[in-house]
Amino acid sequence: MRIHSACARLALSLVVVGLAVTGCGGGSGVAPGTSTVGSTNDINPRDPSELRDGGNLRLALTNFPETFNYLHVDGGTKTVAAIVEATMPTSFVSDAAGELSIDHDFFTDVKLTGTSPQQVVYTINPKAVWSDGSPITWEDLRSQANALSGRDTAFLVSGTGGFERVGKVERGADDRQAVVTFDQPYSEWQGLFNPLYPKSVTATPDAFTNAAKNALPVSAGPFVVTTIDRSQNRIVLGRNPRWWGDTPKLDSVTFSVLDHSAWLPAIQNNELDIAYMSGIENVSGARNAENVVIRRTPEPTWSHITFNGAPGSLLADPQLRIAISKAIDRQGLVTAAQNGVVDDPKPLNNHIFVAGQKGYQDNSAPIAYDPDEAARMLDALGWKLNGDVREKDGRKLELRDVMYQQDQWVQTAQIVQQNLARIGVKLIIQTVPGTGLFTNVIDPGNFDLAQFSWGASVLPLGALRQIYYYDPANLQGNKARIGTPELNALIDRTLSELDPQKAIEMANECDRMIFEEGYSIPLHQAAGTYAARADLANYGAFGLATPDYTKVGFLK
C-alpha cells in the first residue's frame, strides 16, 4: 500500500500494491503530472484551529500485518509502517523537500559530536514515556542497537541500517541520554532509531520475533493500538492517554484490510477518507465522487521485477538474468502503466536514487532493451529453442512470476509474458494474496521472478546494505539472494564515506555493478496520486514529508 510513514522516509519499506497498467486516458478530465520527486506536497495544509476536535480517519491496508515489529524481517512493510508512524518514536522527521530535523516530541537534541571515532549523542525528551508509563531511556537505544547489529543472526532483522557499524551505546549524563560510538563511520547516521522500539521487544531474539507479533503492547506515539479485530480485518488506533505532546485533533484512526479493487468503491461510498489511486480509470472515478478531491505529489516509491538468483536456482547465472532483462520492454511497460497519469512516462534507471533526487543518473545500459541480443545471449548460454520454449540439459526455460493478487500487477506480467515469449522464454503468472506474499513466498525464495515495490527514502544509501549486500547467513532485505564480495566491499566503503558528494559517486558505482549482475529490473516510480475527502486536512500526498498525526483532522 502507499500510506506514508516516518519510517518509510528514513528506511526502506516493502510495498505490495503496484501502479496500474491502463489504456489511453483521453477524455478523462484528469491532467497528467510528473513522477519526479520535488520539494512540495499536497496535503491541504491548515492551522489546527480550523479543524474540528474528534473524528475518525479511515485508511486502507492491503494485508493484515505479519508482525507489528517493523524491525523484523516480516515487518518492514508499508502496512506495518502505516501503523508505526502514529504509535512509535522517531529521531528525525523530514519536510516536503526531504530536509531532516530532530523529532522534538521524542528527542530534545541529536548531535554528531565526533568523527574519529564517529559519535552521536541522543538526548531524550524528559517527558517521553512508553504507553505502560515507563520512561524512554538510553537502555532502549542500546537494546535496539544490539538487536540490529547483525552480530547475533537469531535476531531476524529486516536490515541492520547502520547498526552493524555501532561499537557501543553508553549512558550519557543521565538515563535520558545515550552516547552512540561507531567502530566504522556511517554516512547516514540520521537514519538510526527510526522507529525506536522498547527494550522489551528488542532484548532477546525470542522477544524480537514474538513480543510484538500479534499486537503492539507497548508504544509511545500520539496514538496507541486499541482494537485488533482479525475477523473483521480491522485495526483501530485511539489517542494515547499518556501522550505528552500536542493533543491530536482526531479521536481515532481505523485501518481496514481491503483488496485493492475495493479502494475506489470505498472512496465513492464514503467508506474511506483517503486511498491511493492506480491508473487513469481509478483517478477519474475518484475525481467524480462526491466530496472527493485528487491530491498528487510524486513519491520515492518504485516498482520492479526482482530475480531469484540463489545458488542452484534456474536464474543463478547473471548472464541469463541479463539476457532476460534485455528482452523486457521497460519503456512499453511504463507507458502502459502511467499513460494519462504521468507526463512522458520514463522507466526508473537507478536502484538507489529516484528521479528528482540528488545523485540520480541512468546506469541501466547493461539491461537496455534489445530482444535480438537477448536471443543471441541465450543461444550462447546453451538455451536452444525446442518448439516455442528454450531448453538446456533437458530443462525448459519456464519462469514463475509471483505478485500481489491485483489486476494491475497481472497486466504488467502479461506484457512481460509477451515480451519473453518472443525469445522462447515461458512466463507462468502466479498471484498471491497480500497476507503471506512475503513470509510464505518471496522470503523463502519460492519464485523465479517477483513483482513488488520498494518505498525508498530521503536517506537512499541505506538501500545498499539492506537490499543489495549479500550475506547468505543473514539475507536481510536481499530477496534476490544475489551479490558478490566485490559489491559488498564497495557498499561498505560507500557507507563509510562522510563526504556526501563522494558517497553519491560511490553509490552510483554500486548501482552500475547491481545492473551488471542482473539483480532486478526497475520499472517506474510512483506519481503519488490519492483520492481524499475534501475536508481532510494536513494529510494527503506527502511526497518526501513525514505526517504529523497531531495535526491531522477534518475541517470544521
Side-chain angles (χ1 to χ4, degrees):
M1 65 167 301
R2 301 204 185 269
I3 300 300
H4 283 265
S5 73
C7 323
R9 294 298 169 283
L10 304 176
L12 274 293
S13 297
L14 296 169
V15 187
V16 298
V17 175
L19 301 184
V21 180
T22 68
C24 177
S28 68
V30 178
T34 178
S35 61
T36 300
V37 297
S39 58
T40 60
N41 60 17
D42 187 5
I43 63 171
N44 191 19
R46 298 296 184 98
D47 189 273
S49 64
E50 300 179 59
L51 308 185
R52 66 177 189 259
D53 289 321
N56 173 43
L57 177 64
R58 299 165 300 172
L59 305 176
L61 299 176
T62 54
N63 62 293
F64 215 89
E66 304 286 352
T67 173
F68 288 82
N69 182 1
Y70 182 80
L71 311 174
H72 192 275
V73 68
D74 293 338
T77 69
K78 278 284 186 78
T79 289
V80 181
I83 297 166
V84 165
E85 71 180 2
T87 57
M88 299 301 286
T90 55
S91 56
F92 284 86
V93 293
S94 60
D95 64 13
E99 297 296 326
L100 297 175
S101 60
I102 298 167
D103 189 337
H104 287 294
D105 280 330
F106 300 103
F107 294 91
T108 57
D109 195 22
V110 180
K111 185 179 295 184
L112 179 67
T113 58
T115 57
S116 185
Q118 186 176 359
Q119 194 168 76
V120 180
V121 176
Y122 293 79
T123 304
I124 301 164
N125 186 331
K127 298 178 181 178
V129 295
W130 297 109
S131 55
D132 62 1
S134 60
I136 299 174
T137 74
W138 74 279
E139 292 182 334
D140 295 304
L141 281 72
R142 179 181 62 176
S143 180
Q144 182 159 316
N146 177 68
L148 299 186
S149 68
R151 288 186 282 271
D152 184 350
T153 57
F155 286 95
L156 303 178
V157 302
S158 62
T160 53
F163 288 104
E164 76 281 357
R165 293 164 176 262
V166 172
K168 57 184 177 180
V169 179
E170 299 172 292
R171 184 178 185 269
D174 55 30
D175 283 349
R176 295 288 195 161
Q177 190 173 75
V179 180
V180 177
T181 304
F182 293 78
D183 283 340
Q184 296 175 274
Y186 184 57
S187 58
E188 292 190 336
W189 57 270
Q190 297 100 323
L192 302 184
F193 307 111
N194 286 288
L196 172 67
Y197 273 75
K199 61 185 178 182
S200 59
V201 173
T202 58
T204 67
D206 180 70
F208 194 78
T209 294
N210 295 311
K213 182 172 178 60
N214 298 312
L216 195 58
V218 180
S219 56
F223 289 87
V224 294
V225 176
T226 56
T227 304
I228 298 175
D229 188 337
R230 294 179 184 273
S231 63
Q232 297 294 319
N233 274 330
R234 188 171 295 133
I235 298 167
V236 180
L237 312 182
R239 289 181 182 178
N240 179 359
R242 297 185 184 274
W243 176 244
W244 57 94
D246 293 341
T247 301
K249 304 301 291 188
L250 295 169
D251 286 325
S252 59
V253 180
T254 298
F255 295 96
S256 298
V257 178
L258 295 174
D259 184 84
H260 187 261
S261 62
W263 290 13
L264 175 58
I267 285 288
Q268 293 170 324
N269 297 329
N270 194 18
E271 296 166 352
L272 289 175
D273 293 308
I274 185 168
Y276 191 85
M277 290 292 111
S278 299
I280 195 67
E281 286 88 351
N282 283 339
V283 173
S284 300
R287 167 159 282 178
N288 293 327
E290 186 178 357
N291 191 36
V292 171
V293 295
I294 299 299
R295 304 211 178 277
R296 174 184 286 152
T297 303
E299 60 190 46
T301 297
W302 54 281
S303 302
H304 60 91
I305 301 170
T306 281
F307 293 105
N308 180 356
S313 69
L314 182 58
L315 297 176
D317 183 349
Q319 287 304 299
L320 177 56
R321 300 193 296 267
I322 291 290
I324 291 168
S325 300
K326 283 181 169 292
I328 295 174
D329 181 5
R330 294 194 302 135
Q331 181 61 63
L333 286 172
V334 174
T335 299
Q338 297 189 322
N339 186 39
V341 177
V342 173
D343 283 321
D344 191 22
K346 296 293 184 185
L348 181 69
N349 293 315
N350 200 295
H351 291 88
I352 314 302
F353 305 99
V354 295
Q357 198 167 33
K358 185 177 181 182
Y360 179 78
Q361 66 184 47
D362 184 348
N363 296 319
S364 66
I367 65 167
Y369 179 54
D370 190 340
D372 293 337
E373 175 61 16
R376 285 192 291 269
M377 290 180 68
L378 291 176
D379 285 337
L381 291 168
W383 289 97
K384 303 298 185 181
L385 268 176
N386 184 1
D388 293 331
V389 181
R390 292 177 181 268
E391 290 185 0
K392 180 180 180 180
D393 300 329
R395 190 175 189 183
K396 290 183 179 294
L397 194 48
E398 297 180 343
L399 307 175
R400 275 190 315 116
D401 183 10
V402 304
M403 69 214 67
Y404 173 62
Q405 189 173 306
Q406 180 191 353
D407 288 346
Q408 289 86 351
W409 274 124
V410 173
Q411 291 163 19
T412 296
Q414 288 170 340
I415 297 174
V416 174
Q417 189 178 54
Q418 294 165 10
N419 289 166
L420 295 183
R422 295 191 188 108
I423 62 164
V425 178
K426 182 177 180 180
L427 190 74
I428 301 166
I429 299 171
Q430 178 183 341
T431 61
V432 181
T435 300
L437 172 61
F438 290 99
T439 54
N440 299 334
V441 181
I442 293 177
D443 288 344
N446 187 18
F447 67 95
D448 297 309
L449 283 70
Q451 295 177 201
F452 58 97
S453 298
W454 285 110
S457 171
V458 299
L459 296 173
L461 303 190
L464 288 168
R465 179 81 192 194
Q466 182 179 353
I467 305 173
Y468 306 110
Y469 193 96
Y470 180 59
D471 177 358
N474 189 11
L475 291 171
Q476 299 183 44
N478 191 331
K479 311 299 183 184
R481 294 162 169 79
I482 293 171
T484 64
E486 293 78 15
L487 178 58
N488 284 357
L490 182 56
I491 288 172
D492 282 336
R493 293 197 300 274
T494 302
L495 294 177
S496 294
E497 180 53 65
L498 297 182
D499 181 312
Q501 187 55 44
K502 289 181 180 177
I504 285 173
E505 292 168 4
M506 295 172 71
N508 275 304
E509 279 187 60
C510 292
D511 188 47
R512 283 189 285 271
M513 293 177 70
I514 293 165
F515 272 109
E516 288 167 357
E517 65 183 15
Y519 184 99
S520 65
I521 304 172
L523 298 178
H524 39 66
Q525 64 193 68
T529 306
Y530 294 79
R533 296 285 140 213
D535 61 346
L536 176 61
N538 299 322
Y539 202 94
F542 283 99
L544 297 173
T546 304
D548 183 346
Y549 261 90
T550 66
K551 293 181 171 61
V552 178
F554 297 93
L555 296 174
K556 291 179 179 177

